[in-house]
Amino acid sequence: LQSHEEDDRKVRRREKNRVAAQRSRKKQTQKADKLHEEYESLEQENTSLKREIGKLTDEMKHLSEVLKDHEKICPLLHCTMNFVTLPRPDALAGCLPR
């Protein structure tokens, strides 16, 4: 009778452990799935940001070229007074070609 009760206890304990292990595996699987989804989302965001950086880099190159071209012909950039803040608008008139 005592041996039979011990066997029952062992069976119940094994079943309890089996259910707990199953629950733990399910929880780990869900955690891994969630991490994988986060990873995929971050990869997509990273790709999108790299594309945006590429576009902005191209735009910066273009604008730098436009600025360089403009600097060649802009008379105000060749005037030393350009770097001084002046309250009078007619002060810059001295820098313009006549």
Side-chain angles (χ1 to χ4, degrees), residues 6-90:
E6 284 180 21
D7 288 345
D8 282 349
R9 251 184 264 131
K10 282 182 184 178
V11 168
R12 283 194 303 269
R13 191 179 326 116
R14 282 188 188 133
E15 179 63 16
K16 187 178 175 182
N17 287 344
R18 186 187 67 75
V19 169
Q22 189 177 26
R23 198 177 315 125
S24 176
R25 283 190 301 272
K26 183 178 178 182
K27 193 174 177 180
Q28 289 296 323
T29 301
Q30 289 172 339
K31 194 175 181 180
D33 288 347
K34 186 176 178 182
L35 284 172
H36 183 71
E37 286 174 19
E38 272 186 56
Y39 169 80
E40 289 294 326
S41 174
L42 288 171
E43 280 294 314
Q44 287 176 358
E45 186 178 354
N46 190 32
T47 300
S48 173
L49 289 171
K50 283 182 178 180
R51 237 183 269 121
E52 187 177 347
I53 288 170
K55 289 177 184 176
L56 290 171
T57 301
D58 290 345
E59 184 181 359
M60 184 180 71
K61 286 177 186 173
H62 171 72
L63 292 173
S64 293
E65 289 173 14
V66 169
L67 177 62
K68 246 187 251 177
D69 292 343
H70 177 74
E71 285 173 341
K72 293 174 188 174
I73 61 169
C74 182
L76 293 179
L77 290 174
H78 301 296
C79 177
T80 57
M81 297 182 82
N82 187 42
F83 301 105
V84 180
T85 306
L86 299 171
R88 297 180 308 151
D90 62 329

